[in-house]
Amino acid sequence: MKTRTIRIGLCGLGTVGQGVWKHFSASRARLESQLGVKLELHRAAVKDPRKKRAVKIPAGRITTDTLAVATDPKIDIVCELIGGTGLARRVTLAALARGKVVVSANKALLCAHGAEIFAAARKGGGHFFFEASVAGGIPIIKALREGLVANRFRLIYGILNGTCNYILTRMSLEGAPYAAILAEAKKLGYAEADESLDVEGWDTAHKASILAFLAHGVWVKTDRMIVEGIDRVSPIDIRTAATLGYGIKLLAVIGRDFENNELFVRVHPTLLPKDKVLANVNGVFNGIAVTGDVVGTTTYIGRGAGQDATASAVISDIADAVTLLTTGKAVAAGRPEQGPRVRLAPLEHVISRYYLRMTVKDQPGVLAQIAQITARNRVSIASVIQTAAGRTDAASLILTTHESNERAIRSTLADLARLKSVLEKPLLLRIGEFTD
Ligand code: HSE
């Protein structure tokens, strides 16, 4: 019997695309023998063919016509590695409409257009695989869809952005300056082309939206989440958190209250007790703790960004796509459960402890004014620390609170902003004492 040839097209040859080309070429023979097919990297579409690239690709295999790769009848699997939501969306929809398998690392696209993409796949007979979109090399999509299919998920929380974890780790271990570390994260191929997506929390939010969809069957857009980044976290916060027994991590938290059928998705820098596994996940590594009602908590750790980790996930999707094309069977279980439609939790149901750092006038009565505001908002103070603020007339005042909720803390912040003795916008961090 003649061995079938499966042809793959790459759209985009940036950091991830080149990684896929490199590692796929190196492991092609082994993959062919494992999958029982011949595999061919048929064509790659790029914006600028003259750009210097680390991988050598024959000129005849390169084109600038990205849509032609997506619609080429010879190509079975289209890898969309362009990023963004413009051309990437057109490429994805065009390939799905022709019944192709699309493999994507594009978390922003999925978060913004997930429902449209899956509908297009159903209509056109295509399939959409996206293991590389969340947590780089960690097979978290597979874990949720396959390994944990018996479970419902009360809590998922995780470090989903390698760039931010790299920055926070180096700030905490070496006290290195923020801007210099960010520049290094860019050089290492961790950061997005627009790094504000990383440091302002949007990239984590896109990934959280995908995990929430897999776990709960609804797309939560970023404007329905709390999204805060690491750009205002300073060495003083890292030092104070360490003194209190915490590390600071940018976390996505997806919580579900099954009794009231409510869901929340939030992204923010979080003080995590040092004895939690994820508090010790450092550098570019990501980590995700998933609490299922049958299995309990399982934790996943691995490189969350960078060429090699992401290529590993893309190639795993290519292998699954080949299995689908040759056997007609998808490896993963079908669509996420579509139970009674879950509601987004109101802010007063989103509970946390809080860390609040303020730069205040260093004079009598200021602490009393602040305490009056917290009392009025029924926010109970757990501890108060005062340190120097780097100027003679002011001090840094750091409060931690007992459990409160997002509504009460927002109102507290609004009241504090009106105080003349509070000199800058306070920094709010959450304290994540998760019961796994
Ligand atoms: N910029 C992303 C990160 C890349 O730092 O995690 C992986 O999605």
Side-chain angles (χ1 to χ4, degrees):
M1 203 174 71
K2 196 163 173 290
T3 308
R4 180 171 171 187
T5 299
I6 303 273
R7 293 184 180 84
I8 299 151
L10 294 192
C11 297
L13 265 183
T15 304
V16 178
Q18 291 184 59
V20 171
W21 191 285
K22 180 173 94 180
H23 290 291
F24 185 87
S25 306
S27 58
R28 188 168 58 90
R30 181 175 53 77
L31 287 169
E32 285 179 338
S33 116
Q34 280 176 295
L35 297 166
V37 292
K38 290 211 86 52
L39 295 169
E40 186 184 300
L41 276 175
H42 191 63
R43 273 205 295 169
V46 297
K47 209 153 64 181
D48 177 4
R50 279 165 309 193
K51 193 168 161 184
K52 259 186 95 63
R53 295 185 169 85
V55 290
K56 291 273 158 287
I57 299 169
R61 298 222 177 247
I62 300 257
T63 173
T64 52
D65 191 346
T66 312
L67 274 171
V69 171
T71 56
D72 185 338
K74 287 212 196 91
I75 289 176
D76 307 284
I77 302 171
V78 175
C79 297
E80 185 279 291
L81 307 170
I82 305 164
T85 56
L87 178 60
R89 173 167 163 267
R90 293 199 295 281
V91 160
T92 300
L93 295 177
L96 292 174
R98 283 160 183 80
K100 298 182 190 299
V101 185
V102 175
V103 169
S104 173
N106 195 332
K107 52 263 165 157
L109 179 68
L110 248 184
C111 175
H113 300 290
E116 180 189 29
I117 287 170
F118 288 114
R122 279 194 297 281
K123 185 154 171 244
H127 297 267
F128 186 79
F129 290 4
F130 49 100
E131 185 60 71
S133 64
V134 183
I138 304 174
I140 188 64
I141 308 289
K142 255 187 194 296
L144 285 174
R145 296 178 73 181
E146 297 175 41
L148 300 177
V149 72
N151 293 267
R152 298 201 305 166
F153 305 102
R154 174 175 65 74
L155 176 67
I156 299 174
Y157 70 92
I159 301 164
L160 301 180
N161 185 274
T163 302
C164 288
N165 207 36
Y166 182 77
I167 293 172
L168 289 173
T169 302
R170 294 212 36 213
M171 274 171 80
S172 99
L173 296 182
E174 303 157 34
Y178 177 92
I181 315 171
L182 174 58
E184 227 172 277
K186 287 194 82 144
K187 214 164 80 201
L188 289 165
Y190 300 160
E192 299 299 303
D194 171 3
E195 74 264 15
S196 66
L197 289 170
D198 296 298
V199 297
E200 291 176 10
W202 301 111
D203 177 79
T204 301
H206 295 149
K207 293 164 177 168
S209 167
I210 296 169
L211 295 185
F213 171 70
L214 289 169
H216 305 293
V218 287
W219 285 107
V220 181
K221 302 270 180 192
T222 51
D223 60 0
R224 307 295 306 278
M225 303 176 189
I226 294 167
V227 182
E228 291 165 18
I230 63 162
D231 37 344
R232 292 192 62 221
V233 176
S234 75
I236 182 182
D237 303 307
I238 291 177
R239 280 197 306 274
T240 311
T243 313
L244 295 169
Y246 299 95
I248 299 184
K249 298 290 179 191
L250 181 70
L251 291 188
V253 187
I254 302 160
R256 173 85 184 251
D257 172 351
F258 284 102
E259 225 164 87
N260 296 307
N261 198 25
E262 285 180 355
L263 171 73
F264 66 76
V265 183
R266 51 194 170 98
V267 172
H268 43 64
T270 312
L271 275 70
L272 203 53
K274 278 189 185 149
D275 60 359
K276 291 278 177 201
V277 174
L278 294 197
N280 300 293
V281 170
N282 288 324
V284 73
F285 281 73
N286 284 189
I288 306 149
V290 180
T291 303
D293 57 347
V294 180
V295 71
T297 299
T298 56
T299 305
Y300 308 83
I301 297 170
R303 282 189 174 76
Q307 186 174 67
D308 299 338
T310 315
S312 167
V314 170
I315 293 169
S316 115
D317 272 350
I318 293 176
D320 280 355
V322 171
T323 305
L324 175 71
L325 290 167
T326 52
T327 67
K329 290 200 184 80
V331 181
R335 278 194 292 158
E337 181 197 351
Q338 303 288 311
R341 210 168 164 76
V342 61
R343 282 186 304 274
L344 288 182
L347 290 176
E348 52 274 25
H349 292 180
V350 183
I351 309 291
S352 181
R353 291 189 57 209
Y354 297 91
Y355 166 108
L356 202 53
R357 173 169 56 78
M358 289 162 279
T359 306
V360 297
K361 282 190 188 155
D362 196 6
Q363 62 190 32
V366 171
L367 189 55
Q369 287 173 342
I370 291 170
Q372 242 175 18
I373 287 177
T374 55
R376 193 161 65 231
N377 287 289
R378 310 186 69 76
V379 172
S380 171
I381 294 172
S383 71
V384 181
I385 300 170
Q386 179 169 329
T387 60
R391 45 195 272 191
T392 48
D393 58 336
S396 270
L397 200 60
I398 295 164
L399 307 186
T400 67
T401 75
H402 292 296
E403 270 193 353
S404 182
N405 65 69
E406 289 295 324
R407 177 91 57 211
I409 206 74
R410 277 186 194 199
S411 160
T412 305
L413 284 176
D415 288 349
L416 287 171
R418 283 190 280 271
L419 278 188
K420 286 209 173 53
S421 50
V422 175
L423 301 175
E424 288 164 13
K425 187 178 163 201
L427 174 80
L428 180 73
L429 304 176
R430 277 77 182 173
I431 302 178
E433 271 152 8
F434 302 106
T435 46
D436 300 341

